[in-house]
Every structure is written in C-alpha cells, then in structure tokens.
Amino acid sequence: MRQTITLLGATGTIGVNTLDVIERHPDRFEVFALSGHRQFQRLAQQCIRHQPRYAVVLDAQIALKLSALLSAAACTTEVLVGTQALCDVASDPCVDTVMAAIVGAAGLGSTMAAVRAGKKLLLANKESLVMAGTLFMQAVVESGSMVLPIDSEHNAIFQCLPVSYADDHRGGVSKLLLSASGGPFRGWDRDRMRGVTPAEACAHPQWAMGDKISVDSATMMNKGLEVIEAGWLFDMPASKIDVVIHPQSIIHSMVQYVDGSVLAQLGHPDMRTPIAHALAWPERMASGVEDLDLVALSRLDFAAPDERNFPCLAMAYGAAKAGGDAPAVLNAANEIAVQAFLDLRIDFTEIAEVVEHIMNEYRFSEPESLAAVEESDARARVMSVARIDRIER
Ligand code: NAD
Ligand code: MG
C-alpha cells in the first residue's frame, strides 16, 4: 500500500525538497493534495508532474490562473480555494500523512486539522506548535496522531532518544542539546548588524531556506522558537534544553544521558535527510543526500551562544517559562517585525526591539481554545504594527 500524502506549502523550500524525496520512491507514495499561495506557476508544474487529486490556494484570482494552466496541460487536479479547503485536504479520510510546511501562523489551522484527524504529521511549521503548544499536544493525545519532526534539530533529537523515552518517561535522558549554526552574523556585534540588508540576512551560510526562517536564523529567534518547539515535542522544560553554536551544521543536535553519554545525529545540512527519515519512519529510505565524508570535513567547532548581541534567544526562553499565550505573542510580534524588515521599514536590530517591546507591554493569559490563541495572535500583531509605525516616524 502506498502512503497517501497531503503537502501543505508545496511551493516552499520544504515543499520542493519533499517532492524531490517523494519522486525517488513512486512505489511508496502517492500525492493526494498540494497547496501553495502566490507561486501558482510552480504549483501548476508540481500538479502536472505529481497529479494530485486537489490543489489548494487562498485567493480566487490565483485559483483561476492555476485552473487555466492545469486545463491547458490536460491535468485533472481539482483546484480548491480558502483556508477551510486547506483543513479539508489535511483531514480527508483518504490521507495517511500530512506534511505541514506552510510558513508562520498561517499554518496553524491546517496543521491542527491534521492533528485532530489523527494523521501521521510531518511537522515543519514549528510556529503552530509554538503558538498553541498545550492544545496541540492535547489534540495529539486525543486523536492518536503521530508527530514526526522535520526541523533538523528536532528530527536529530528524535533519532537520538531511547526507545523507552515515552514509556518510562525520560529513559535516562538528562538534557537536550540543540545545535545552532549562529547564522550569517555569528561573531558580529549589534552595531555592525544595524544596517544589514534583507539579502544579507537571508544569505544563510549552511542552509537554503525561505526568507522568514532565514531572517529568524540571523536573529537567532529561530533557535528560540526551536527551544519552545523541543519543549513541547519532547516534554522537557526549557531549563533542560541548551543551545550549542556549531557553525558547520553537521551535528544536527544531541541528547545527553545521565551516565555521561551524548548521542548525536550527523549529516549534510540538507533537509531531504529529515524529510526522508520522517516519510519512511520507522523504516529508512534513500533521500538523495550524499554520504558524509568526515575526513574531508576534518573538524567540527562548538561555542556558547552570544546572548547579548542576539537577544531574541533569551526572549524565547522567557516566553517558554511564562507559558500561556506568551509564545504565541512572541511569534506574532516576530512575524510582523520580520516582514517589516523584509519590506525595508525597520532595521535588522529593530526586529528584536519590537518583539521585546510587545513582550513587555502585553498582558499574558492562558488560552483555552484555538480561537483564544488566534485572538492573542491578532492582538499582538496590532500592537506590533503600531510599534513599527512609531519607529518609522
Ligand atoms: P517558504 O517561504 O519557502 O515556503 C512557505 C510555503 O508556505 C509556500 O508554499 C507558501 O506558498 C506557503 N504560504 C505562505 N504564506 C501562506 C499563507 N498565508 N497561507 C497559506 N500558505 C502560505 O518557507 P520554508 O523555508 O519552506 O519553511 C516552511 C516551514 O518550515 C516554516 O515554518 C519553517 O520554519 C519550517 N522549516 C523550514 C526549514 C527549511 O530548511 N526551509 C527548516 C526547518 C523548518
Ligand atoms: Mg531548525
């Protein structure tokens, strides 16, 4: 039996890498639905190649353009529009596996729909877990959904945990060590970072990724979000999750045990490895990634994170500790600030200033429902926009 897959965010970096892996194994996978946003031409090409039953976009005009391209190519994929359609293809009874690879809070509804429907969920959209951790993990338990992390660090930790981790709770694990490359501005101070351009911030030294996560890597907010993500996925307090700077991005993360052992997962910085791992789990299959040549690499370096010049990391630890809707507020303020930086409205270092301001001003609460999480998200966005308007003036 082939695994039937819905791929949310098919046109993005993770989406393209996922289709690359799937294409290597036509005997194992069948694409049920693909989603995209603005890049309808790429989505059309993907539909023509993979012949999914559905393609989902958010805008009616884009849907018309996509349909025209598909009919011209005699492709029978049906085009659906809107966020409810995203949830429908994520929870359809015909689907076994959902890859959640939409960027940001926009992925929350469809990711949650997949979890609630008990799907095997390949989680790239870390923002949804950061925003709604409690409700997300409750839904996992209730539906029996299997969550497999795609984020390379979390996928590495998943691979290094003992089989008994869930059963006897911890299985001798004492700490999680999250690797961080340090991004393009590793070793810089804040003054030097002030005038950097979006192109410089997006030029990651090791990974080719979408713009938003690339900027997050440059501010180290990405690592902060990953600390929160790891806390939920592996039921660990943030105090037992350390960040280790490792510029080569070969060790993707580590698990420390009470007996002094440290287990690590190594590989090239290529997302096809965690994607193939999660798609094939609990088996293994080829991903197209070359073997690692340790002799050619010859050295691996490590350092402590620079919290003074990269304040976003400490803010994320603070949000994890505060709990409630603090991580959702952190995420919302960050998304607005990153977009403002990409739109050349604020400086790079002002991303952290906006987030810090909102975290100081916002009154946190405990969201009891997804609607409440969305409300906190919306309120934090309004506050962030107002703050950015003031900075601009
Ligand atoms: P990307 O920007 O390359 O792609 C984003 C995808 O989301 C695209 O398909 C786009 O069409 C879709 N999208 C954007 N806005 C949308 C909206 N409002 N509604 C619906 N769809 C929308 O991003 P990416 O680098 O592929 O990252 C995707 C997710 O995976 C992010 O959450 C990111 O943090 C996570 N992730 C990425 C990497 C990586 O190496 N790229 C690694 C780890 C985790
Ligand atoms: Mg990562």
Side-chain angles (χ1 to χ4, degrees), residues 44 88 132 138 143 213 297:
D88 294 344
Q138 263 170 15
S143 70
I213 184 175
L297 274 168

Side-chain angles (χ1 to χ4, degrees), residues 75-151:
C75 174
T76 57
T77 299
E78 188 179 332
V79 177
L80 306 176
V81 193
T83 50
Q84 183 55 49
L86 283 178
C87 297
D88 294 344
V89 296
S91 56
D92 192 289
C94 295
V95 172
D96 304 309
T97 301
V98 174
M99 167 63 88
I102 289 175
V103 60
L108 177 63
S110 50
T111 305
M112 284 298 290
V115 173
R116 286 173 170 162
K119 301 303 180 192
K120 173 177 166 185
L121 177 73
L122 313 193
L123 182 68
N125 176 235
K126 67 190 89 186
E127 295 92 343
S128 57
L129 184 53
V130 167
M131 291 174 74
T134 310
L135 298 164
F136 190 117
M137 296 315 290
Q138 263 170 15
V140 167
V141 172
E142 283 164 15
S143 70
S145 165
M146 176 72 206
V147 181
L148 292 155
I150 294 300
D151 221 341

Side-chain angles (χ1 to χ4, degrees), residues 37-217:
H37 190 23
R38 298 210 172 87
Q39 292 176 285
F40 67 91
Q41 278 150 331
R42 178 177 287 177
L43 186 57
Q45 285 161 6
Q46 292 175 331
C47 289
I48 292 161
R49 203 169 172 101
H50 295 275
Q51 300 285 324
R53 202 178 307 170
Y54 300 109
V56 185
V57 290
L58 293 173
D59 178 285
Q61 290 304 315
I62 288 182
L64 285 176
K65 291 180 191 166
L66 177 64
S67 298
L69 290 176
L70 295 180
S71 6
C75 174
T76 57
T77 299
E78 188 179 332
V79 177
L80 306 176
V81 193
T83 50
Q84 183 55 49
L86 283 178
C87 297
D88 294 344
V89 296
S91 56
D92 192 289
C94 295
V95 172
D96 304 309
T97 301
V98 174
M99 167 63 88
I102 289 175
V103 60
L108 177 63
S110 50
T111 305
M112 284 298 290
V115 173
R116 286 173 170 162
K119 301 303 180 192
K120 173 177 166 185
L121 177 73
L122 313 193
L123 182 68
N125 176 235
K126 67 190 89 186
E127 295 92 343
S128 57
L129 184 53
V130 167
M131 291 174 74
T134 310
L135 298 164
F136 190 117
M137 296 315 290
Q138 263 170 15
V140 167
V141 172
E142 283 164 15
S143 70
S145 165
M146 176 72 206
V147 181
L148 292 155
I150 294 300
D151 221 341
S152 57
E153 297 76 2
H154 306 73
N155 184 271
I157 289 169
F158 182 83
Q159 295 194 46
C160 296
L161 286 177
V163 180
S164 65
Y165 188 71
D167 303 336
D168 73 355
H169 206 71
R170 303 271 179 266
V173 171
S174 57
K175 256 192 175 178
L176 306 179
L177 308 176
L178 275 188
S179 299
S181 69
F185 309 132
R186 181 175 53 86
W188 292 31
D189 65 24
R190 299 219 335 130
D191 281 341
R192 190 174 168 205
M193 280 182 251
R194 207 168 294 278
V196 301
T197 63
E200 287 169 319
C202 290
H204 196 278
Q206 305 297 350
W207 298 94
M209 307 183 287
D211 286 352
K212 192 264 177 180
I213 184 175
S214 295
V215 175
D216 284 351
S217 299

